[in-house]
Amino acid sequence: MDVKTCCLAALLTGEATGYEIKKMFEEGPFAHFQSASFGSIYPSLTALRKAGMVSVSTATGEGRPDKKVYVITEAGRAELLEKLEITPGRDQIRSDFLFLMFFSELQAPDRIGDLIDQRRAYFDQALDDIARVEVESPAGPGRAFVRGFGKAIYTAALRYLSDNQKPLLDELTTNHGSRPDAGGGNGPDAEHDNKTTQAAE
Amino acid sequence: MDVKTCCLAALLTGEATGYEIKKMFEEGPFAHFQSASFGSIYPSLTALRKAGMVSVSTATGEGRPDKKVYVITEAGRAELLEKLEITPGRDQIRSDFLFLMFFSELQAPDRIGDLIDQRRAYFDQALDDIARVEVESPAGPGRAFVRGFGKAIYTAALRYLSDNQKPLLDELTTNHGSRPDAGGGNGPDAEHDNKTTQAAE
DNA sequence: CCATCATATATCGGATCGATACATTCACCC
DNA sequence: GGGTGAATGTATCGATCCGATATATGATGG
């Protein structure tokens, strides 16, 4: 979902500053399935204000200068409801961890073991986060459903890692010396009799 | 992982054209944890060629004009190995589906039911994809580990959806008329006694 | 007494996506 | 025979978005 819509969604739970919206994507209820950076949040809020989707009130407390508190308007709420009617596309997942694991054979087994340990800690943390958010904002059935989903996924991931860490490491250490050089020699389907001309440069 | 590194990774399994690399991110072994578009793949390949990481051979078959087949070089292989040493960051997940489910209360229960049905079909498809890739490219322990991980996650997701679809829909239909207007009246922690000045415009 | 963290706004360059244009082959159907 | 559309391919453009950074202030703490 684009950042503007995400900002509207964040503001639906109450007024907030740009900074607070960022935190909602880092630690709050959206943390595990949406994200946005300052570089997109602030421009989005400005655009939403110009479009009348949000209103701003500048809070001048003690010392701290301008602190812009954003509130969603009726138009903004209508806009969000409209966006909720889209057909959701593919989930986008980008995991450096799985990328590294994909090439386990090219790395030292110890390194692979460390990576898995780190990832298990990471998933433990994720479960703690969900539990914490669960206490902080009880909320309705939609949120509970999403939280439950996250819990199920992370629990399964954790189980998979603990079940398969040792087997993988065993396999890597036994076949260690061989180094299969990954696609050099007998590569996949070497069938193409096109005339090829080597490019210069 | 940046697109350049992803291209090198794709080429490690054998030579390929830009088009084929794209397909590897859509249907191939990387499909479920990395992605890239033409708009980033082609510039990346050009940059990699200039840096000597890949070499190009233009295949002039019958009819079809220039078809640039890319091959990873030794320098490219070294570069990839270096990139494998990074510490992996957070997995990035962006799910429109969970975003929509988060706001279940604002939508018709039938619509929610449809969304869940669609997502179950989507996860079924994902499991089929993994099974298909498993047959097409047997490969080593790293790939098997990643595939197993995906299988575990999708299976858990599927189970969660089938277990919780009906309970959610029941909850939504019973509380239907109420429409909790999400954060308007008794919003979260209304404690801030800063002087606020309403912004014009 | 100064480092450093948390709060807070904002911008810039670059990475990346999504859509699109273009060109050709092949399969299919009428 | 001819037309339509899918698949294969390269390539670019605008819009979006991220990551790093600059700026400023108060609180915390060694």
Side-chain angles (χ1 to χ4, degrees):
Chain A
M1 202 64 73
D2 60 303
V3 180
K4 268 189 278 196
T5 308
C6 287
C7 287
L8 288 178
L11 290 174
L12 204 60
T13 69
E15 60 176 42
T17 67
Y19 188 82
E20 285 166 343
I21 291 175
K22 177 78 195 301
K23 279 207 303 183
M24 289 173 86
F25 288 110
E26 266 172 6
E27 312 159 26
F30 296 97
H32 297 276
F33 59 96
Q34 291 292 330
S35 62
S37 67
F38 285 131
S40 52
I41 288 175
Y42 282 114
S44 291
L45 287 173
T46 304
L48 287 171
R49 183 177 52 77
K50 280 182 185 164
M53 304 294 181
V54 301
S55 65
V56 193
S57 53
T58 306
T60 49
E62 309 90 58
R64 283 197 192 79
D66 50 343
K67 170 179 165 178
K68 299 179 183 172
V69 180
Y70 292 89
V71 181
I72 191 168
T73 65
E74 267 315 308
R77 211 163 290 187
E79 171 77 4
L80 177 60
L81 285 180
E82 209 167 305
K83 284 284 176 63
L84 290 182
E85 286 167 16
I86 62 153
T87 308
R90 292 187 172 194
D91 290 355
Q92 280 178 35
I93 302 166
R94 179 158 284 184
S95 172
D96 284 354
F97 167 69
L98 290 179
F99 184 89
L100 296 181
M101 293 306 297
F102 190 87
F103 297 108
S104 299
E105 299 94 300
L106 303 178
Q107 295 168 80
D110 282 356
R111 150 93 168 153
I112 299 297
D114 288 347
L115 284 177
I116 297 179
D117 283 340
Q118 282 166 29
R119 195 58 27 162
R120 289 173 69 173
Y122 170 83
F123 286 136
D124 273 329
Q125 176 71 45
L127 282 174
D128 284 352
D129 286 349
I130 292 177
R132 182 176 44 73
V133 172
E134 199 161 6
V135 174
E136 284 177 8
S137 59
R143 295 198 195 189
F145 183 87
V146 171
R147 274 199 303 263
F149 189 87
K151 213 185 285 185
I153 296 296
Y154 287 127
T155 304
L158 223 34
R159 181 173 2 251
Y160 181 81
L161 290 189
S162 53
D163 286 354
N164 292 88
Q165 182 167 24
K166 203 158 209 163
L168 174 66
L169 292 179
D170 287 348
E171 207 170 344
L172 288 175
T173 42
T174 53
N175 293 24
H176 188 225
S178 63
R179 278 293 159 114
D181 99 307
N186 46 4
D189 60 272
E191 279 192 66
H192 55 93
D193 41 19
N194 286 337
K195 292 166 187 170
T196 61
T197 50
Q198 201 65 24
E201 184 184 7
Chain B
M1 202 65 72
D2 60 301
V3 179
K4 270 189 277 197
T5 308
C6 287
C7 286
L8 288 178
L11 290 174
L12 204 60
T13 69
E15 59 176 42
T17 65
Y19 188 82
E20 286 166 343
I21 291 175
K22 177 76 196 299
K23 278 207 302 183
M24 289 173 85
F25 289 110
E26 267 172 5
E27 311 159 26
F30 296 97
H32 297 277
F33 59 95
Q34 291 291 332
S35 62
S37 65
F38 285 130
S40 52
I41 288 176
Y42 283 114
S44 291
L45 287 174
T46 304
L48 286 171
R49 182 178 52 79
K50 281 183 184 162
M53 304 293 180
V54 301
S55 65
V56 194
S57 53
T58 306
T60 48
E62 309 91 58
R64 281 196 192 79
D66 49 343
K67 169 178 165 179
K68 299 180 182 171
V69 180
Y70 292 89
V71 180
I72 192 167
T73 65
E74 267 315 309
R77 214 164 288 188
E79 170 77 3
L80 178 60
L81 284 180
E82 209 167 302
K83 284 284 177 61
L84 290 182
E85 286 167 15
I86 62 155
T87 307
R90 292 188 172 194
D91 289 353
Q92 281 177 36
I93 301 168
R94 178 158 287 184
S95 172
D96 285 354
F97 167 69
L98 290 178
F99 184 90
L100 295 181
M101 293 307 297
F102 190 89
F103 297 108
S104 299
E105 299 94 301
L106 302 179
Q107 294 168 80
D110 283 354
R111 151 93 168 154
I112 299 298
D114 288 347
L115 284 177
I116 297 178
D117 284 339
Q118 282 166 30
R119 195 57 29 163
R120 291 174 67 173
Y122 170 83
F123 285 136
D124 273 329
Q125 176 71 47
L127 282 174
D128 284 352
D129 285 350
I130 292 178
R132 181 176 44 74
V133 172
E134 199 161 6
V135 174
E136 284 176 9
S137 58
R143 294 198 196 189
F145 183 87
V146 171
R147 272 200 303 264
F149 189 89
K151 213 186 284 187
I153 296 296
Y154 287 127
T155 304
L158 222 34
R159 189 183 343 264
Y160 181 81
L161 290 189
S162 54
D163 286 353
N164 292 88
Q165 181 167 24
K166 202 157 206 158
L168 174 65
L169 292 178
D170 287 348
E171 208 170 342
L172 288 176
T173 42
T174 52
N175 295 24
H176 187 225
S178 61
R179 278 294 156 106
D181 100 305
N186 47 2
D189 61 271
E191 279 192 67
H192 55 95
D193 40 20
N194 285 336
K195 291 167 187 168
T196 61
T197 49
Q198 199 67 24
E201 186 185 4

